[in-house]
Amino acid sequence: MAHIPEGVLSAPVLITGALVTTAAVAYAIRKLDYDRLPQAAVLAACFFVASLVAVPAGPSSVHLLLNGLMGLMLGWLAVPALLVALLLQAVFFGFGGLLVLGVNCLNIALPALLSYYLVSPWLNRALLANNRRQLFISGMIAGAIGVAGTGALVCLALVLSGPQYLAAGKIIMLTYLPLLLVESLITGAIVGFVAKVAPELLQRQLPQPLVAEESHATN
């Protein structure tokens, strides 16, 4: 249940989620690279379609997130891409809702950014060494971070809205365990494939501090 429905979260959680998401989207737009918009559109469409295929898991359901992959390939651009996809899902299919859109976007986008900053440096070294095993593992780690982070943030949003949701949060975390395994394998396979056919899609998305350090070391 990555899409928290309307009427569940408290007003402070909703407001905080909306404000943080608004700030993140504004920052991402300032860093926008228009050449990467087609790539963002394709990944947002993949996220949109993957989210429509939900598999029942106990009292809840799970679906592929692909936010770890989006973080690796898009960096900060993943935030507005996810927001647009979630908005369309809320409008056309009733997933989540407009009032909870900020929280739902934050729950999925923040782990995407975490994957970007934590995994991209290791991914770059694997690309430079053409190490297929490390490329696959990098993708697996990014996928695992995306799912685990989203699950933790969903539970946190529920618990902060009221102690009555604590039991539901624990159940949701359990349902995310098989998803974590599946998504990490899928993300690892996709990263390995992209690195083979179009490695520039991964190389140019490195966090800026790393790029600056490598340039300085080269000089």
Side-chain angles (χ1 to χ4, degrees):
M1 190 184 78
H3 301 78
I4 301 176
E6 299 276 21
V8 174
L9 301 180
S10 64
V13 174
L14 291 173
I15 294 172
T16 301
L19 291 176
V20 174
T21 297
T22 300
V25 170
Y27 180 77
I29 292 176
R30 287 180 56 191
K31 296 169 62 69
L32 183 62
D33 180 359
Y34 289 96
D35 292 336
R36 294 166 55 196
L37 287 180
Q39 182 181 341
V42 170
L43 288 170
C46 291
F47 169 83
F48 182 91
V49 174
S51 299
L52 298 180
V53 184
V55 178
S60 182
S61 62
V62 295
H63 56 75
L64 291 177
L65 296 175
L66 303 181
N67 54 339
L69 176 66
M70 293 181 70
L72 281 183
M73 299 188 67
L74 297 177
W76 275 91
L77 187 54
V79 181
L82 286 167
L83 179 65
V84 171
L86 288 169
L87 175 61
L88 293 177
Q89 288 178 344
V91 172
F92 291 113
F93 299 101
F95 288 5
L98 297 180
L99 291 178
V100 78
L101 181 61
V103 175
N104 283 335
C105 182
L106 181 64
N107 290 345
I108 300 176
L110 188 58
L113 293 175
L114 191 62
S115 298
Y116 171 59
Y117 280 103
L118 292 182
V119 182
S120 288
W122 191 27
L123 176 64
N124 181 56
R125 289 192 289 270
L127 284 168
L128 294 176
N130 195 26
N131 190 319
R132 299 298 176 186
R133 180 172 176 272
Q134 287 188 9
L135 288 169
F136 181 77
I137 294 176
S138 298
M140 286 189 65
I141 294 174
I145 291 174
V147 173
T150 296
L153 288 174
V154 168
C155 294
L156 179 62
L158 291 173
V159 172
L160 290 177
S161 296
Q164 67 271 22
Y165 295 118
L166 179 59
K170 293 179 179 179
I171 294 174
I172 290 173
M173 281 300 297
L174 290 176
T175 63
Y176 269 67
L177 293 179
L179 175 62
L180 187 150
L181 176 61
V182 172
E183 178 137 351
S184 62
L185 292 174
I186 291 176
T187 305
I190 293 175
V191 168
F193 177 76
V194 173
K196 182 177 181 180
V197 300
E200 68 277 2
L201 296 179
L202 296 170
Q203 282 179 318
R204 65 179 184 177
Q205 308 310 331
L206 292 172
Q208 191 61 38
L210 180 64
V211 175
E213 289 174 7
E214 291 185 350
S215 300
H216 180 72
T218 303
N219 294 333

